[in-house]
Amino acid sequence: MIFAISDTHFDGRQNKPMDVFSEVWENHMEKIKLNWTRLISENDTVLMAGDISWALKLEDAYDDLKFIDELPGNKIISRGNHDYWWHSLKKMNEMGFKSIRFLQNDAHSAENFEVAGTRGWTDSSSKEFKEGDEKFINRELIRLELSLRAAKKNRPIITMLHYPPFDNDKKPNVFHNMMKKYNVEICVYAHLHGKGHDKAVEGDIDGIKYFLSSSDYIDFTPIIVAE
């Protein structure tokens, strides 16, 4: 089976506990480990769509990535807006993790699916959108298309995005349109916390099945996205 959980926001040696934002985050690392080991076998795949660790440097993210590596299952990790530790694929792969694959401008096979994706960006309708952000949207669209093109032909595609592919009114945006062009079947996204959960969009839209995988939204329990 293929599961998803994102926005784990592990400590990254930064002494940055998440429970300062909300009590639901208290001991969240232990909650994730407990639920993960209860549900996931070594043959399963777990998709993690960004904001993995608060670490600022790759070496400081090592402990968090090692923690993930030692959990059951195969993991595919893509970048979030807080993953400042993210480096070149070469450097990340040289860290020697056995069960982690990093997703960047490419695609990975997972069970009966191809997994593609990118970070995405804030929609232009959002209050977070700033002057000049359009260039980041265009860059992320290019990266998404590179990843989708890298997927093996004639296999269903799952896309991982960190930012929601919707505008401020919950309507599909340009990232949705790109996925529709490539006949994506499933999209896992993240980034929404707290009151942001009101912006969640799930279910089938134009043939794409959407899942919000932010860890506090799913009660720190990996969700099944494909069987």
Side-chain angles (χ1 to χ4, degrees), residues 29-46:
M29 194 169 186
E30 290 77 11
K31 292 177 187 176
I32 290 172
K33 181 177 181 179
L34 177 65
N35 292 323
W36 187 309
T37 54
R38 176 173 58 86
L39 293 170
I40 294 166
S41 74
E42 292 296 343
N43 295 323
D44 293 325
T45 300
V46 184

Side-chain angles (χ1 to χ4, degrees), residues 8-12 28-29 32 51-55 64 67-68:
T8 52
H9 287 289
F10 292 148
D11 189 58
H28 80 287
M29 194 169 186
I32 290 172
D51 281 6
I52 308 303
S53 169
W54 284 113
D64 294 334
F67 174 81
I68 293 168

Side-chain angles (χ1 to χ4, degrees), residues 127-159:
K127 294 179 180 179
E128 299 175 12
F129 190 83
K130 303 183 295 297
E131 184 179 354
D133 274 2
E134 192 68 36
K135 65 181 180 181
F136 294 109
I137 289 177
N138 292 333
R139 182 186 66 187
E140 289 298 310
L141 282 170
I142 290 170
R143 289 177 171 174
L144 176 57
E145 187 157 32
L146 285 171
S147 182
L148 290 166
R149 285 180 176 176
K152 293 178 181 177
K153 306 303 180 187
N154 302 317
R155 281 167 58 89
I157 300 173
I158 299 175
T159 297

Side-chain angles (χ1 to χ4, degrees), residues 165-211:
F166 306 101
D167 67 17
N168 212 39
D169 294 321
K170 300 186 181 182
K171 295 179 181 178
N173 66 15
V174 291
F175 291 95
H176 168 86
N177 296 339
M178 179 67 75
M179 291 186 286
K180 185 178 175 183
K181 174 182 174 182
Y182 284 87
N183 299 314
V184 168
E185 291 196 4
I186 296 168
C187 177
V188 171
Y189 71 98
H191 189 64
L192 300 179
H193 301 296
K195 292 182 179 179
H197 293 167
D198 293 339
K199 295 292 185 181
V201 177
E202 295 193 290
D204 189 291
I205 301 176
D206 294 334
I208 302 174
K209 192 172 183 180
Y210 282 98
F211 294 90

Side-chain angles (χ1 to χ4, degrees), residues 25-112:
W25 287 92
E26 187 174 350
N27 299 318
H28 80 287
M29 194 169 186
E30 290 77 11
K31 292 177 187 176
I32 290 172
K33 181 177 181 179
L34 177 65
N35 292 323
W36 187 309
T37 54
R38 176 173 58 86
L39 293 170
I40 294 166
S41 74
E42 292 296 343
N43 295 323
D44 293 325
T45 300
V46 184
L47 309 181
M48 305 183 72
D51 281 6
I52 308 303
S53 169
W54 284 113
L56 300 178
K57 297 180 179 179
L58 182 56
E59 55 268 29
D60 292 334
Y62 179 83
D63 290 347
D64 294 334
L65 294 170
K66 184 173 184 291
F67 174 81
I68 293 168
D69 190 45
E70 291 175 348
L71 290 170
N74 303 297
K75 302 92 185 180
I76 300 176
I77 295 177
S78 58
R79 188 178 185 178
N81 61 305
H82 288 298
D83 290 319
Y84 298 110
W85 55 269
W86 192 275
H87 214 288
S88 68
L89 284 176
K90 183 176 184 293
K91 282 188 175 289
M92 292 189 294
N93 289 332
E94 284 175 348
M95 298 183 82
F97 298 117
K98 296 180 180 179
S99 67
I100 293 175
R101 288 176 287 172
F102 299 99
L103 183 64
Q104 180 173 292
N105 301 341
D106 57 1
H108 296 297
S109 297
E111 302 179 35
N112 297 321

